[in-house]
Amino acid sequence: MSSSLEGRLATLSITPIEDKTDDGSVVEIKHYFFKPKPAASSNSAIKLLVVLAEVSKDIGKATALAKQLGYKDLRAADDGQVKDVLGVPKSQASLLSIQADHSQFIHLVASSTLQTAHCVSFPNEKHSTEQDLDEITGKTVVLKGTDAKRFAESRECAEFSEVEFAERGEPQPAAPKAAAAPTAVKEPKAQQGKARTAEEEEIHELGIHAKKLEDFPGWYQQVLIKGDMIDYYSVSGCYILKPWSYGIWEVIQRWFDDQIKLLGCSNCSFPLFVSQRVLEKEKDHIEGFAPEVAWVTRAGSTDLEEPIAIRPTSETVMYPYYAKWIRSHRDLPLKLNQWNSVVRWEFKTPQPFLRTREFLWQEGHTAHLTKSEADEEVTDILDLYRRVYEELLAVPVIPGIKTEKEKFAGGLYTTTVEGFIPASGRGIQGGTSHCLGQNFSKMFNIVVQDPSAKEGQELPPIHVWQNSWGLSTRTIGVMVMVHGDDKGLVMPPRVAQLQVIVLGVGITVKTDAEMRQKINDKCKEVVKQLRAAGIKAQVDDRDTHTPGFKFADWELRGVPLRLEIGPKDLASGSAFSARRDTGVKAPIPFDSLVKDVSALLDQIQSDMFTRAKKTFDERVIFLTEWKDFVPTLNKGCICAVPWCDVEACEDAIKKKSAEETAEAVVDERAPSAGAKSLCIPFDKKRFTDKPASEYKCVKCGQQAKHITLFGRSY
Amino acid sequence: MSSSLEGRLATLSITPIEDKTDDGSVVEIKHYFFKPKPAASSNSAIKLLVVLAEVSKDIGKATALAKQLGYKDLRAADDGQVKDVLGVPKSQASLLSIQADHSQFIHLVASSTLQTAHCVSFPNEKHSTEQDLDEITGKTVVLKGTDAKRFAESRECAEFSEVEFAERGEPQPAAPKAAAAPTAVKEPKAQQGKARTAEEEEIHELGIHAKKLEDFPGWYQQVLIKGDMIDYYSVSGCYILKPWSYGIWEVIQRWFDDQIKLLGCSNCSFPLFVSQRVLEKEKDHIEGFAPEVAWVTRAGSTDLEEPIAIRPTSETVMYPYYAKWIRSHRDLPLKLNQWNSVVRWEFKTPQPFLRTREFLWQEGHTAHLTKSEADEEVTDILDLYRRVYEELLAVPVIPGIKTEKEKFAGGLYTTTVEGFIPASGRGIQGGTSHCLGQNFSKMFNIVVQDPSAKEGQELPPIHVWQNSWGLSTRTIGVMVMVHGDDKGLVMPPRVAQLQVIVLGVGITVKTDAEMRQKINDKCKEVVKQLRAAGIKAQVDDRDTHTPGFKFADWELRGVPLRLEIGPKDLASGSAFSARRDTGVKAPIPFDSLVKDVSALLDQIQSDMFTRAKKTFDERVIFLTEWKDFVPTLNKGCICAVPWCDVEACEDAIKKKSAEETAEAVVDERAPSAGAKSLCIPFDKKRFTDKPASEYKCVKCGQQAKHITLFGRSY
C-alpha cells in the first residue's frame, strides 16, 4: 500500500504550496500522540490517538480530552507505541504519514480551526513513513487549510473528530465543545459521564504540585495561579492582576502616594500615545527602547497617516511640555508623577510581574534648578523605594548606584534598590531613581533664566536638572518569590488583603445545634472586634468544606494568621492561632484578642523581614579572587567584589562567568547565564573596612574603584 | 516673463507626480500671506511674506514669527496686497505662482521639513498666475519634497528662509530656531530683540478673552488651558491632565472607590490589549465599537502575526475569565472594578474631557445569580454616579433609562444620569450603569448550576446576569462647563485642589517692615490653622505680582474662597473674604476663622448646586405639541415630551428637528443638530401628574408610553 506523499496528495487534487514557510500567514501544526484506554462504550480497536493542532493552541489536559472524546483515559504514547501503528517513531510521524494499512487503528483528532487557516505547515522532521522515509523527511509541507482537512478525512481513520481547542494562555472552556463532525465520519461519544462537581474539582486542584527548591519556575507559576494572584491572558506577555494581587498594589500606591505628596509631588495624566518624531527626539534614550515599542497603525479600518507609539516610558512624552511650562526659575521645582501602565513589547520569555509586555507602575518626573537639589531628590525617592520593599513587603534590598553600562538610557546616573531571590540565587532590580542630568533639558530646550543674574546682567540660561523614577508591580513578584513556600503564598501582614482568617473547628456530627451556633457567633464577634480595630479579618463559614480544606486554602493564599475557634477554645476562653510564616500555633485569650493579634501581626511582619534579611546577608559573598567567583555564583550567591569601573571589564566578567559556568555545569537545570553588575552599594563599609582602592579588580587586576555587586539576575 | 508652470518645472528638470493625491504619503501644503513691517535693519523692499508649511504644522503667532524673521510686525495680507505683488488674489496664489517679475518683493519662508517629505501637494485652488490661470487652476500639483524645495529656491525671491515649525497641538518651542539657510540665499536677522520677561508674558496671557455666552467653544478651550486644567497634546484627540484637573479625578476616585468597596467590589487590572478574536466574540457589541478600535500591528521593527486591539471597553477582555472563574453559584456575585484608560479612536472633532481618543474612567463588571440582584446593583451604582455629580461636583443630573436605540451595544438596558450645559442648551450623558442581561453570559458561556436543584435533580444551568458601569473624566468637563464664568473656572469646594487662597494686601511703599512681617506671619498662621482642620489652604506670597494680578490669577483657576489680610484687617481682627462663585465679600473674625470658613465652604458647595439645579429645572420644558419642539430647543432648552417608545419615531424626531432647525436658523453659529433622546426619567411625576398613556406621542400622535427627554446633546 505504499505510495509517495505526492501521489497521495495528487489523488485528492491537492497541490502543496511552495516557498511559503517564511510567510507569517502559514500556521504551523503540531502533533500529539496518545494511547487511549477505551471506555466501555468506545471503539476498543483504536490503538493510537493522533491529535493535530495549531502550535498556538493548547490542547489542555489529557484527562479533559479523554472525557470529551469518550475514553476512560489517555496517556502520551511512546515511540514504540507510535511505531507499532504508524511504522515510524514519533519524531517522524505526522498526519501525512498515515496510510490505509494502519488507519483502522487510529483515532484522528483535528483542531476545528484547521480548515479556516489559509495555509498550514507540517514540520520538516515529521510526516515520513518507512516506505517513503528518504523521499520527504526534511521537507516542510505546506497545504491550504481546507486541503489539510480534506487530506485528514481521506485517511479513513477508524474515527475522526474535530475539537475546538483554546488559544494558549487563555482559559480552557469549562466544557469544550466538539465541533460538528464531517458527514460519514463516526463521532465518538463525547460529553458523556458527569463532570466532577465543582467541589471535587476544587479539592483536586487546590495544592501546589511543584516544590520551590526543585522546580522554581513551576512553583512560581502555580503559586500565582492557585494563590489567586493572577491569571494568564490570551495576549502573550500580558497577565490579569486579580484583586488578591492588585490589592497589594493599592496598599503600595496609597503609601507611596502619600509620601511623594509630602515631598511636593502632584499626580497628573499624560497620554498613552506618543508620535514617532517626539519619541525619537533623544537618541540614546530611544536606542534603549526602540526594539520594544508597540506601534498603532490602524484605527477601525482606517490606516493612520503615521504610526503612533504606545509609551514605553514617558520622558519624551512629557518633556516637550516641561519646556513650555517652565518659564522661570519660580516654576521650579516641577514635580509630577503618574500612576499608569507602559508597554514594552519584549520578545524574551515573559514572567508574571517580573517581565511583562504591559506593566503597572508609577513614574515620577521632576525638574530642578540645581544638581544638588536633583541629587537630593534621587536619594529621597530611592529611600522610599527601599521602604516599600523593606517596610511594606518585608523584602530586604541593597541600595546603590548602577554602573555606566547598566544605567538608564540617556540619563546621568541611576540609583537602584537591588533585591535577591534565594531560590534562584539571582539578583533582581527592585526600583530605580534616575538623575537625568541636563541631557533631556538640552534636547528639549527646558531652560530658565539664571536667578543669580543681577539687574541688567545677562547670564546664559540654565538648563534644568531632571530626575525620573519608577516603581512597578514587579514589587509583587519579588515579594512572592522571597516569602512563598511549598504550601503557597506567604503575605506580609502590611500588604495582605486579608490578615486574619477566622474558622470554626471541632464540629462533628455529635456537635449540637446550640454549640454550632455559639461557635458561629463567636467567630463573627471576633471578626467584628478585629475589623473595628482596623485589622482585615474575615470568617470562613463555608459549610461545603472541611476545616482541613480551608486551612490548606488559606495557607495557599498566604493569609498571615489563622484563628480557630471550637468547643474547647470556647471553654478555655481563647482562640487558637496559627502563623502562616512559621506555622507556630498558640492560644490567644479572647480578653486580649485585639491587642494580641495586632502585636502578633507586627511580629510576623518584622520576623519575615529579619529572616529574609539574614538569608540575603548570607548569600552576598565578598571575594577578591576570580577563582572564587563562579563557584560562588554556583552556590546560589551573588558576589561583592573589588572592581575597576571599566565597562570592558564588566563585559569580560559576564562573558567569562558564563563560559566557566557552562564548563562546570553538570545539572542541566542550573542557570547558565553570566553575571551582570547589579549595583555599587552606597554602604561602603558593608563588606570591608578598607577602601576599595586597596584592592585589585577581581577580574582584570587593575586598581579597584568600588566594591561592586555582581550576580546572575532577572 | 510669462511661462507655463510646466515650462518652469521643466527648466529645473522637475516632473510633477501624477495621481498621487489620494496617497497618505503626500503632505498637503498650506500658504500664508503676510504684509511685513520691516525693522530698521531689514530689507524694506519686501512687500509680501509668503509662508509655506505642511497643513499639520502650526506656524504660531504672527508676533513670534515676526520677531524670528527680524520684522517689527507681520499682518495678514489681504487680497489686494497679495494681488499687488503676485497678480492674483490669495485664493489663487501659491509658491507655484511666484514668477521672476515680482520675486524681488517677496520674502519666501518655507517649513524646514518640506524637503524631507516624500511628496508635497499644492492645493488645487492655488498656484495660478494671471498668465496661466486657465492652464493650471483646479489641478493639484504634487512634487517630491526635494523638488519643491529646489523650486522654492529657484524663484529667486528677495529673501528665502527656512523655519522649524511645531506640529499643531504641540507647544511652540520657546525660541523656534531658524534652520540653516541654503547657501547663496540671504538670511534675515532672526532671534534679535529681547523676549518679553516671563512676568510680562504672564500678565499679557492671563485673562480669558472669549465670553462664555458669546463664544462657548472658545471660552471652554481658554478656561481649560489658562485655568491650568489641561494642555493640548501632539497626538490629536489626546490631552494632558495637569494636576489641577487630575486632582479632581483623584477626589472622585477615592470617594467612589470607598463606596463601591462597601458594596463588595474589588479592584483588579486586566490588560490593555485584546485579541481580534476575543474582541469580536459578541457581534452587537463589537459593531458598536469596531470603527473606533485602535490596532497595534508592529512591535519594534517586527510585524505582529495578528493585529492586537487596544481595549475600547473591557467586556470581551474580562468575560472569558468570568466563564472560568465562576464555577458555582457560591462564586457569585462577582464584582470587579478597574480604574484605567480606554481608547476609542473617534474621528469626530475631539473636545477635552467630553470626547477624547483616550480617556480615564472606572469600569465595573459584575455577575449575579438573579436578574433582581443585577437590577438592584444597576440602580445602586447609578445613584453613586448621581451623587458624584450632585454632591461632589455640584452638578444636577436627571437619572433615567436610555431608549433601545441609545442603550449600550449588546446590553439589556442602560441607565444614565443626564446632565445639561446651559451655555449650549445641550444635554450630556454623565455616566451609565448597564444591565447586560444574559447576552454576554450566553456568548461567553458563563454558567452555574441552579442552586435550587434538589439532590440528584438535574436542572438546566443558569446563565449569570451581568452588569457593567462606567464613569469617566468627562465629569470634569461637565463641571467646568456648568460652573465656569467669564473670569475662569469656578471649583466646587469638595473637589477643589485648593479651597482657600490667603493673600497679604494693602502693602504700599509706605508700609514698614514690621507691618509687612505681621501680615506675612498672619497669612501663614491662618493657612496653618485651616490646614490643621483639613481645609486645603495656601498662602500666595509671590512678591513678583500685585494683589490685583493674584486675585485674577486665583479667580481664573477657580479657587472657591479668597482671604485677604492687610493692615486694616489686622486692626479689626478679621480676614476679608471673597467668594469665587458669587463675588460676595465679607469679613471673617480671626477668632472663629476655621469654623466660619468651613461653614462658608459648605455654603458655597450647596449654593453652587442650588443655582445650577434651578437653571436646569428652568431649561427642561414639558411640552406636548410638536410645533413647540424646535422653538424650545432653539431657546437653549431640552424637551420633556410624551413619546411612543418606537425607534422609527425617535429617528423621525431627530431628522425633523434638524430640518426645522436648519430652516429657522438665521444665526450661523446656532447649533444645527437635531434632538436625540436623552433618557426616560425615573421620576415619572416630575413633569406631569398624569400617566404618560393619557398623552399622544409628540411626534407621531400614537399613544405615548413615557415622558422622555429629548435634546441636542454632546
Side-chain angles (χ1 to χ4, degrees), chain B residues 645-672:
Chain B
D645 261 25
V646 175
E647 190 163 327
C649 183
E650 189 171 349
D651 291 339
I653 290 174
K654 184 168 183 185
K655 186 155 176 281
K656 190 72 183 156
S657 60
E659 285 168 9
E660 288 182 21
T661 304
E663 287 163 19
V665 162
V666 191
D667 181 354
E668 271 186 23
R669 293 167 310 173
S672 61

Side-chain angles (χ1 to χ4, degrees), chain B residues 375-624:
Chain B
D375 287 340
E376 188 183 332
E377 190 200 66
V378 165
T379 51
D380 283 350
I381 295 293
L382 195 76
D383 200 54
L384 293 178
Y385 290 164
R386 182 191 63 74
R387 292 179 61 193
V388 166
Y389 275 99
E390 300 198 338
E391 297 178 13
L392 301 184
L393 301 168
V395 168
V397 289
I398 296 182
I401 190 163
K402 286 278 182 189
T403 63
E404 279 298 298
K405 181 182 166 72
E406 296 291 336
K407 77 176 184 184
F408 182 69
L412 180 63
Y413 66 87
T414 290
T415 66
T416 176
V417 288
E418 292 288 317
F420 176 69
I421 308 298
S424 63
R426 290 178 181 238
I428 185 160
Q429 179 177 304
T432 45
S433 176
H434 316 290
C435 180
L436 303 178
Q438 296 174 306
N439 186 25
F440 286 88
S441 66
K442 284 177 181 164
M443 217 51 77
F444 289 92
N445 199 29
I446 314 176
V447 291
V448 296
Q449 294 303 316
D450 189 336
S452 70
K454 296 189 186 84
E455 190 74 25
Q457 188 187 12
E458 284 222 25
L459 292 179
I462 293 178
H463 287 90
V464 303
W465 292 83
Q466 290 182 273
N467 296 336
S468 73
W469 27 273
L471 186 79
S472 77
T473 40
R474 164 174 280 205
T475 42
I476 300 170
V478 175
M479 184 275 279
V480 169
M481 287 184 160
V482 165
H483 296 305
D485 64 22
D486 287 346
K487 289 180 175 178
L489 297 165
V490 181
M491 295 279 191
R494 281 195 68 178
V495 297
Q497 292 312 287
L498 183 59
Q499 296 167 314
V500 182
I501 186 70
V502 181
L503 310 95
V505 295
I507 296 166
T508 67
V509 283
K510 293 181 189 164
T511 313
D512 62 22
E514 192 191 348
M515 177 55 78
R516 285 169 194 257
Q517 191 61 47
K518 268 190 189 168
I519 290 172
N520 214 0
D521 290 350
K522 192 65 188 179
C523 286
K524 284 184 184 159
E525 186 198 322
V526 162
V527 165
K528 204 172 159 187
Q529 285 176 354
L530 293 174
R531 284 191 182 171
I535 295 169
K536 295 171 186 164
Q538 188 181 303
V539 61
D540 181 354
D541 55 6
R542 290 178 286 178
D543 55 10
T544 48
H545 293 283
T546 61
F549 178 94
K550 294 182 193 174
F551 289 2
D553 194 16
W554 295 113
E555 282 171 356
L556 179 60
R557 291 163 62 101
V559 175
L561 193 64
R562 182 176 76 225
L563 292 182
E564 304 164 21
I565 299 174
K568 286 182 199 163
D569 304 297
L570 287 183
S572 70
S574 61
F576 194 67
S577 73
R579 283 173 65 157
R580 175 62 183 90
D581 63 329
T582 57
V584 168
K585 297 178 180 67
I588 298 183
F590 291 129
D591 290 346
S592 56
L593 189 92
V594 169
K595 187 168 78 49
D596 290 359
V597 165
S598 179
L600 189 49
L601 290 173
D602 288 347
Q603 189 65 46
I604 292 171
Q605 179 82 28
S606 138
D607 288 354
M608 286 178 72
F609 176 71
T610 306
R611 274 196 307 275
K613 177 84 165 61
K614 182 162 174 288
T615 304
F616 195 0
D617 288 347
E618 287 167 359
R619 303 279 285 274
V620 186
I621 309 292
F622 177 64
L623 57 91
T624 58

Side-chain angles (χ1 to χ4, degrees), chain A residues 495-571:
Chain A
V495 297
Q497 291 313 286
L498 182 60
Q499 296 167 315
V500 182
I501 185 71
V502 181
L503 310 95
V505 296
I507 297 167
T508 67
V509 282
K510 292 182 191 165
T511 312
D512 62 23
E514 192 192 349
M515 177 55 77
R516 285 169 194 258
Q517 191 60 47
K518 268 190 188 167
I519 291 172
N520 214 0
D521 290 348
K522 191 65 189 178
C523 286
K524 285 185 182 158
E525 184 198 324
V526 161
V527 164
K528 205 173 160 189
Q529 286 175 355
L530 293 172
R531 285 190 181 170
I535 295 168
K536 294 171 186 163
Q538 188 181 304
V539 61
D540 180 353
D541 54 6
R542 289 178 287 178
D543 54 10
T544 49
H545 294 283
T546 61
F549 179 95
K550 294 183 194 175
F551 290 1
D553 195 15
W554 295 112
E555 281 171 357
L556 179 60
R557 292 164 60 102
V559 175
L561 193 64
R562 182 176 75 227
L563 292 182
E564 303 164 21
I565 299 174
K568 286 183 199 161
D569 305 296
L570 286 183

